[in-house]
């Protein structure tokens, strides 16, 4: 447990009943992300999100430039900014998701390090944007297994080709 993603309705509530009902680990955590998912995808509780967060924490260098594709609630973008002191570009096609990501970034004190935009990966690539890490959580099915990916690239052209 280096990172705790906590719904905003539990933030600041340390009553025994809340602690018993939460998924909070018993050991202290280094980083806390308070999250309000709204209607956007990504509460931080899904196994694919947990896997992506684990890979993010283990493999992302401090201060990296990160792209979060399909940011949803912004859980991955905010976690990257909070835990790895990164600059993040978070993109999505859903305007509500972009709004929620901005709100969650500000809520966690990293609003100045997360750029939230409605652009495509192709537009970023054609503009010459480069990133150390590309976070892309997507559903890929292999039988009954859902797979999430957190993939490192320096060239966005390789993302979809």
């Amino acid at each position: 447990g280096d990172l705790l993603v906590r719904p905003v309705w539990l933030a600041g509530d340390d009553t025994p009943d809340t602690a018993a009902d939460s998924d909070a680990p018993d050991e202290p955590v280094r980083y806390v992300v308070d999250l309000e998912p709204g209607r956007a995808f990504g509460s931080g509780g899904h196994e694919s999100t947990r896997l992506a967060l684990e890979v993010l924490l283990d493999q992302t260098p401090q201060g990296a430039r990160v792209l979060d594709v399909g940011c949803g609630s912004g859980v991955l973008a905010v976690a990257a900014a909070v835990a790895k002191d990164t600059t993040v570009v978070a993109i999505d096609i859903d305007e509500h998701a972009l709004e929620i990501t901005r709100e969650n970034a500000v809520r966690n004190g990293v609003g100045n390090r997360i750029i939230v935009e409605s652009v495509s990966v192709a537009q970023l690539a054609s503009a010459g944007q480069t990133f150390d890490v590309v976070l892309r959580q997507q559903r890929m099915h292999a039988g009954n297994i859902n797979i999430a990916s957190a993939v490192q690239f320096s060239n966005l052209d390789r993302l979809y080709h």
Side-chain angles (χ1 to χ4, degrees):
D2 279 348
L3 177 73
L4 172 64
V5 177
R6 177 175 58 188
V8 294
W9 52 90
L10 296 181
D13 186 356
D14 294 327
T15 63
D17 289 341
T18 303
D21 291 341
S22 74
D23 289 331
D26 292 333
E27 74 259 10
V29 295
R30 291 177 60 190
Y31 310 105
V32 176
V33 171
D34 288 324
L35 189 74
E36 169 58 71
R39 294 187 316 267
F41 175 80
S43 66
H46 192 274
E47 193 59 38
S48 64
T49 305
R50 290 180 183 179
L51 176 63
L53 288 167
E54 184 178 319
V55 172
L56 168 72
L57 289 175
D58 289 346
Q59 297 183 13
T60 302
Q62 285 293 121
R65 185 161 158 80
V66 175
L67 173 64
D68 183 0
V69 179
C71 58
S73 67
V75 62
L76 298 178
V78 172
V82 167
K84 294 297 185 168
D85 195 29
T86 60
T87 299
V88 182
V89 174
I91 64 174
D92 206 301
I93 59 171
D94 180 351
E95 284 298 324
H96 179 71
L98 298 173
E99 178 184 325
I100 292 295
T101 295
R102 283 186 196 97
E103 290 172 6
N104 282 321
V106 169
R107 177 178 288 111
N108 286 277
V110 293
N112 61 330
R113 286 191 279 128
I114 299 178
I115 300 161
V116 183
E117 296 185 302
S118 178
V119 297
S120 70
V121 171
Q123 288 171 310
L124 292 173
S126 67
Q129 295 283 324
T130 59
F131 299 89
D132 302 307
V133 177
V134 176
L135 302 169
R136 178 174 54 141
Q137 190 172 352
Q138 68 181 41
R139 279 202 187 147
M140 298 176 1
H141 299 286
N144 289 331
I145 301 172
N146 285 326
I147 302 168
S149 59
V151 185
Q152 295 190 11
F153 291 100
S154 58
N155 181 347
L156 290 181
D157 290 335
R158 294 174 48 200
L159 189 59
Y160 289 110
H161 296 109

